[in-house]
Amino acid sequence: MPRWTDIVAGLPATVPFVGPETQERALGHAFAARLGANESVFGPSPNAVTAMTEAAAEVWKYGDPEGFELKTALARHHGVAPENIVLGEGIDGLLGLIARLVVAPGVPVVTSAGAYPTFNYQISGAGGIVHTVPYRDDAEDPDALLAKAKAVDAALVYLANPDNPMGSWLDAARIAALIDGLPDGALLCLDEAYCDFAPADAVPPLDMRSERVLRLRTFSKGYGLAGARIGYALGAAPVIAMFDRIRNHFGINRVAQAGALAALADQDYLARTVDKVAAARRELAAIGARHGVRALPSATNFVTFDCGRDGGFARRVVVELARRRVFVRMPFVAPEDRCIRVTAGRPGDLARLDAALPAALAAAGENVAG
Ligand SMILES: *Cc1c(COP(=O)(O)O)cnc(C)c1O
C-alpha cells in the first residue's frame, strides 16, 4: 500500500453531498424537478452562454492564471482593488485552500452543527479539529460561535449569511460584532453564497482593511453558473496574497472565466432572477400552507419547510418525493432535520412539487395536514 498520511488514513469515506445524478442512477429514473441543490434553475444570462460558447473554441489555451479581466471587473463592481480578490473553483474550492492556509493537524476551528458540510469536510482533510455550537431558533448563533472560538482559540470560524440549510439571516451589525470580537489571529470565513438574494442590511459593507475576515462569493447561485465552478474571495490584500503560495494557478478554466465575466456584466438578468426567486419563494410558501408544512422565512433561493415532526419523518418525505421524481434535500442535524429544503423553481417545477407533496407526506407517515 502507498504510505497514506495519518490524516487521510484516519478519515472516514464521506461525501458532503450525494449528487442528484448518483441518486438518479440508484433510483433508476431521472428527476423531473431538480430542487435539491440550490442551483439556479432559471439558468445563466444568455450573454454568459454566448461568451462560454465562444470561449469553448479557444479551450485549447490555458485560462489566464491571473484571471485579470474577471478580477478587474469584479474589483470595479465591488469598489475594491484587484489585489482584494482571489478566484477559486467555487466557494468549495476556496474552502479547501483556506484549510490548507491556516489548518495544520490539530488546529481548532469553529462552525455551527449542521451548517454547510463542505467546510467541515475540507477542515477534516487538513487534519483540523471541528468544534460546533448549536443553531438558535433556526439561525446560526454568532454569540455562541464567538464564545466557542475564544474557548478553543480557533484559527478559523465559519458562518454562512444568509444560512444554508435554514435560509435564515443575520443583520450586518451582528456580523460586524462577531468580527470585532474574534480572538487574536482568528479568521472568519463569511460564506455569502446567497448574498444576491439577501436584504441589503444582511450584507455588511466591504472593509478590505480587515485581516480578520474573508468574504466568499460564488457565481453558482444567483448567476446560475454552478457547473462552471467559479467563485471568489474578497479580503485584505496581504491575506489574499497568501493564496498565491498554494493555489492551482491554471485551475480556473477559461470557459468559466468568460462566462462569469459576461454574467457579471448582465446585472439586469441577475435582478430578474432575484425577482423570479422571490416569486417562487412566495409560491413555495403557498404550496406548503396547502399541505400543512410551514415555510420558514428565507433570504436565499430556497425555502426550508418545517415538516412538524422528527428527522426520521422528514427523511422519509425526502425519499418519497424522490420516488415521485422531485429532488429535494434536508438539514443533517436535529432539531433542524425536522425540515426539508426546496430550491426556488420555475412554475413547472413547483407544480410538480405541489402535486407530489401530499402523497409524499402521507406515505412518510400520516398526513400532517390532517
Ligand atoms: C451552494 C453553496 C456553496 C457552494 O458554492 P460553490 O461556489 O458552487 O462551490 C457554498 N456555500 C454555501 C453556504 C452554499 O449553499
Side-chain angles (χ1 to χ4, degrees):
M1 285 286 272
R3 282 172 273 173
W4 310 121
T5 66
D6 290 346
I7 293 165
V8 171
L11 285 175
T14 54
V15 178
F17 291 105
V18 177
E21 291 80 6
T22 310
Q23 296 184 39
E24 287 174 334
R25 284 188 287 274
L27 287 161
H29 61 72
F31 288 118
R34 183 167 162 130
L35 301 175
N38 303 339
E39 299 150 326
S40 182
V41 296
F42 305 103
S45 157
N47 299 349
V49 175
T50 303
M52 290 189 287
T53 306
E54 283 166 10
E58 303 272 294
V59 79
W60 56 273
K61 298 176 188 166
Y62 289 107
D64 176 6
E66 309 302 330
F68 178 83
E69 275 193 89
L70 180 57
K71 282 204 296 193
T72 303
L74 283 168
R76 196 173 312 123
H77 180 73
H78 289 298
V80 302
E83 292 71 29
N84 298 122
I85 300 169
V86 58
L87 303 179
E89 297 152 36
I91 291 176
D92 289 359
L94 288 163
L95 290 174
L97 294 178
I98 293 165
R100 277 187 68 199
L101 283 172
V102 301
V103 178
V107 164
V109 310
V110 172
T111 182
S112 305
Y116 192 61
T118 308
F119 174 75
N120 307 38
Y121 176 81
Q122 299 285 22
I123 297 304
S124 301
I129 308 296
V130 178
H131 298 270
T132 62
V133 298
Y135 278 60
R136 173 190 284 262
D137 302 329
D138 293 331
E140 293 202 58
D141 180 350
D143 300 330
L145 286 165
L146 200 50
K148 181 66 86 177
K150 287 179 177 154
V152 303
D153 193 21
L156 204 55
V157 178
Y158 175 87
L159 171 79
N161 191 50
D163 178 64
N164 177 14
M166 300 312 284
S168 51
W169 66 99
L170 303 167
D171 65 32
R174 295 199 72 191
I175 303 287
L178 171 61
I179 295 167
D180 283 349
L182 286 171
D184 263 359
L187 179 67
L188 176 67
C189 270
L190 182 55
D191 183 338
E192 297 180 311
Y194 298 100
C195 65
D196 300 319
F197 309 104
D201 76 348
V203 185
L206 294 173
D207 173 7
M208 296 291 93
R209 290 161 308 178
S210 172
E211 298 189 2
R212 298 161 156 251
V213 58
L214 280 168
R215 314 278 292 260
L216 305 178
R217 305 284 177 97
T218 182
F219 285 94
S220 295
K221 306 285 158 70
Y223 290 103
L225 290 172
R229 309 307 307 130
I230 186 157
Y232 56 101
L234 295 158
V239 174
I240 294 296
M242 298 304 281
F243 284 85
D244 279 334
R245 302 190 182 188
I246 55 159
R247 73 187 175 95
N248 179 10
H249 288 86
F250 294 97
I252 314 301
N253 79 72
R254 62 186 297 129
V255 177
Q257 291 189 36
L261 188 63
L264 182 70
D266 196 350
Q267 289 295 311
D268 289 346
Y269 185 87
L270 176 65
R272 286 199 295 279
T273 299
V274 169
D275 286 347
K276 287 178 197 168
V277 164
R281 285 197 310 245
R282 289 191 292 272
E283 174 60 14
L284 280 167
I287 291 169
R290 266 201 289 287
H291 305 303
V293 290
R294 185 173 60 92
L296 306 184
S298 169
T300 65
N301 70 343
F302 61 85
V303 169
T304 300
F305 291 98
D306 185 344
C307 293
R309 296 176 55 175
D310 64 1
F313 177 73
R315 213 157 286 121
R316 291 195 296 281
V317 174
V318 170
V319 169
E320 292 297 335
L321 283 172
R323 288 184 53 210
R324 291 164 179 81
R325 301 185 176 236
V326 177
F327 167 49
V328 306
R329 281 195 175 122
M330 61 180 290
F332 297 102
V333 171
E336 293 79 45
D337 69 351
R338 71 190 192 285
C339 299
I340 62 169
R341 192 197 74 184
V342 184
T343 305
R346 294 159 296 198
D349 302 314
L350 302 188
R352 279 246 165 208
L353 174 76
D354 194 19
L357 191 56
L361 289 166
E366 62 181 69
N367 190 336
V368 293

